[in-house]
Amino acid sequence: MTHDEAIAFIQRCKHGVLATLLPDGRPHPTPVVFGLAGDFVEISMTASRVKTRNLRRDPRATLCVFPEGAWHPYLCAEGRAELIADPDGQRNLALYRRITGKDPDDLAEYLQAMKRDKRLVCRLMIERLYPMGG
């Protein structure tokens, strides 16, 4: 798979497992949905989650991407994460639209929930993709 084919695969998929690092170095995997934008993926998360605390301490992460309802084929994207505040929910709304291709059914309630839950956006810069091959 070439780099362009790998990016196209990630674009088609929306489900994955994000692995962050616990303080003792063990991986902490969590299922996520994500949206691709250029050479990074974005994931909505709340400030209080373990994965968020892990990324604040150590921004290295791996996202294992796979098609909905299957575990193969898969692709891993490694990189460093940036946590972006989203006080008005607009970044999460843009991410929602990128993932689903539409607006939430109740836009006002969605934006309220983003504020209430203190949602932020994790931007994972893709630094390495694997497995890659010919």
Side-chain angles (χ1 to χ4, degrees), residues 32-106:
V32 296
V33 294
F34 62 87
L36 179 72
D39 279 339
F40 58 86
V41 293
E42 289 186 332
I43 303 162
S44 178
M45 46 180 71
T46 59
S48 62
R49 299 284 184 192
V50 170
K51 65 182 166 238
T52 307
R53 291 194 307 268
N54 289 343
L55 291 171
R56 286 191 197 287
R57 190 189 69 265
D58 185 337
R60 295 176 297 165
T62 301
L63 177 66
C64 183
V65 175
F66 44 85
E68 185 173 0
W71 58 270
H72 194 272
Y74 75 93
L75 185 68
C76 292
E78 285 184 351
R80 294 187 180 273
E82 173 188 7
L83 299 174
I84 304 168
D86 188 22
D88 62 3
Q90 292 299 315
R91 287 184 179 271
N92 273 283
L93 177 58
L95 176 57
Y96 182 95
R97 288 172 173 156
R98 199 171 331 123
I99 293 170
T100 66
K102 61 181 184 175
D103 277 345
D105 291 336
D106 186 335

